[in-house]
Amino acid sequence: MAQITQTKLNKLNVFELYKHYAALEQSLPLLTPESQELAKAELETCSQLRSEKIDRIYYAMAAHEDALERIKKESELITQAKRHHESQLRSLKGLLNWLKRSLPFNTNKITGRNYQFTLVRKRDLTVEISSDPDLWSPEEREHYCIEEEITTTKRVVLRSISGAVISDTTEPTTKTKVLPNIDAIRNAYQAGQHLPSGVKVTQEYSICSKRIYVEPRVELQASEYPGDFLPED
């Protein structure tokens, strides 16, 4: 590889290649015709190496973009799996709650061969709302909704470098949001009153599980030959 300098071009990074190319290009008018030919050959080599390193930047970016895309897809799959298992778990707990209601009043245990579930009545009724309270009738909103108002005050103090106060202002911001009144819904349910569409109230139970360990039964029988076990006098 013909070149005019002793620089090892293949050891330079992309920044150094750009710098070396610019310096060599500026020196061309100062060189003899023979030296210019060597310099031009070195400029061509420098340009090719620089282009290769620029391409490597693209390859690295593409690799990271592909990795991010795979991570995104994997995250979506994990989220879907999480939702699936949460849904299945809710269904199974719902099944145990339904079985509890089928048991005698004074029984709170559901027993299988290897596992036993103990269900303890939750103090508060569970309220599930699948409809939008904003779409309830005015009367339903009046009885079963509350308005939450949150006021946040932002204080902005500007001081000089020496610490003198230039300005001191406060900016209050108030946000309101309509929320279901859970207590009112529970009370209405217990009183047998009509509830808005999409509102479900149920009695749920806390569920604890444990493994059942059964000791093997051993039948003890008197030995027919006690002399085999007892020492002689």
Side-chain angles (χ1 to χ4, degrees), residues 19-38:
K19 186 177 179 180
H20 182 76
Y21 188 96
L24 192 58
E25 190 176 41
Q26 291 175 0
S27 68
L28 278 178
L30 306 177
L31 301 176
T32 63
E34 292 181 359
S35 297
Q36 285 183 356
E37 291 302 319
L38 290 174

Side-chain angles (χ1 to χ4, degrees), residues 15 32 46 54 66 89 104 110 142 145 155-156 174 180 184 216 224:
F15 298 106
T32 63
C46 185
I54 293 297
D66 291 343
L89 186 58
I110 302 174
E142 178 65 28
C145 289
R155 183 185 179 189
V156 180
T174 301
E224 297 180 0

Side-chain angles (χ1 to χ4, degrees), residues 3-16:
Q3 62 180 82
I4 193 171
T5 70
Q6 299 298 320
T7 305
K8 296 181 179 180
L9 298 179
N10 59 346
K11 299 294 184 180
L12 301 182
N13 60 38
V14 67
F15 298 106
E16 293 167 338

Side-chain angles (χ1 to χ4, degrees), residues 10-11 19 56-57 77 118 133 138 145 189 198 211 214 220:
N10 59 346
K11 299 294 184 180
K19 186 177 179 180
R56 290 178 189 175
I57 294 175
L77 292 174
T118 300
C145 289
Y189 172 80
R211 183 70 160 85
V214 179
L220 299 178

Side-chain angles (χ1 to χ4, degrees), residues 46 52 67 130 141-142 144 186 200 212 214 217 225:
C46 185
E52 290 176 4
S130 59
R141 285 166 57 85
E142 178 65 28
Y144 303 120
R186 288 191 180 113
K200 181 181 178 181
I212 300 173
V214 179
R217 296 184 60 185
Y225 308 98

Side-chain angles (χ1 to χ4, degrees), residues 23-194:
L24 192 58
E25 190 176 41
Q26 291 175 0
S27 68
L28 278 178
L30 306 177
L31 301 176
T32 63
E34 292 181 359
S35 297
Q36 285 183 356
E37 291 302 319
L38 290 174
K40 289 178 181 178
E42 185 170 342
L43 284 172
E44 179 63 23
T45 302
C46 185
S47 176
Q48 292 177 1
L49 291 171
R50 188 178 61 182
S51 298
E52 290 176 4
K53 292 185 182 292
I54 293 297
D55 287 347
R56 290 178 189 175
I57 294 175
Y58 170 81
Y59 300 145
M61 290 178 61
H64 289 301
E65 288 173 352
D66 291 343
L68 286 173
E69 189 64 27
R70 288 195 300 273
I71 291 172
K72 180 181 177 182
K73 290 181 179 179
E74 188 68 19
S75 298
E76 292 174 353
L77 292 174
I78 291 174
T79 299
Q80 293 174 4
K82 180 174 179 287
R83 290 174 179 170
H84 168 74
H85 292 300
E86 287 175 343
S87 174
Q88 293 297 308
L89 186 58
R90 283 194 300 269
S91 298
L92 293 170
K93 287 184 176 180
L95 174 61
L96 289 173
N97 276 272
W98 183 86
L99 292 174
K100 170 64 178 72
R101 290 190 288 270
S102 304
L103 295 175
F105 179 76
N106 60 345
T107 302
N108 70 336
K109 297 185 186 302
I110 302 174
T111 304
R113 177 181 298 175
N114 297 317
Y115 293 92
Q116 182 182 79
F117 296 98
T118 300
L119 290 84
V120 179
R121 183 188 183 98
K122 290 185 178 180
R123 186 184 66 177
D124 296 323
L125 295 170
T126 299
V127 178
E128 298 178 8
I129 300 175
S130 59
S131 58
D132 186 353
D134 290 335
L135 302 180
W136 295 354
S137 69
E139 182 179 355
E140 290 172 339
R141 285 166 57 85
E142 178 65 28
H143 284 88
Y144 303 120
C145 289
I146 53 177
E147 185 177 79
E148 180 184 67
E149 180 178 302
I150 301 176
T151 300
T152 304
T153 302
K154 178 182 178 181
R155 183 185 179 189
V156 180
V157 180
L158 298 180
R159 290 187 173 87
S160 65
I161 301 301
S162 61
V165 177
I166 299 174
S167 66
D168 188 344
T169 60
T170 56
E171 302 174 5
T173 302
T174 301
K175 294 182 179 180
T176 59
K177 183 167 60 174
V178 175
L179 301 172
N181 189 336
I182 302 300
D183 290 336
I185 292 174
R186 288 191 180 113
N187 294 335
Y189 172 80
Q190 291 175 326
Q193 299 176 5
H194 174 75

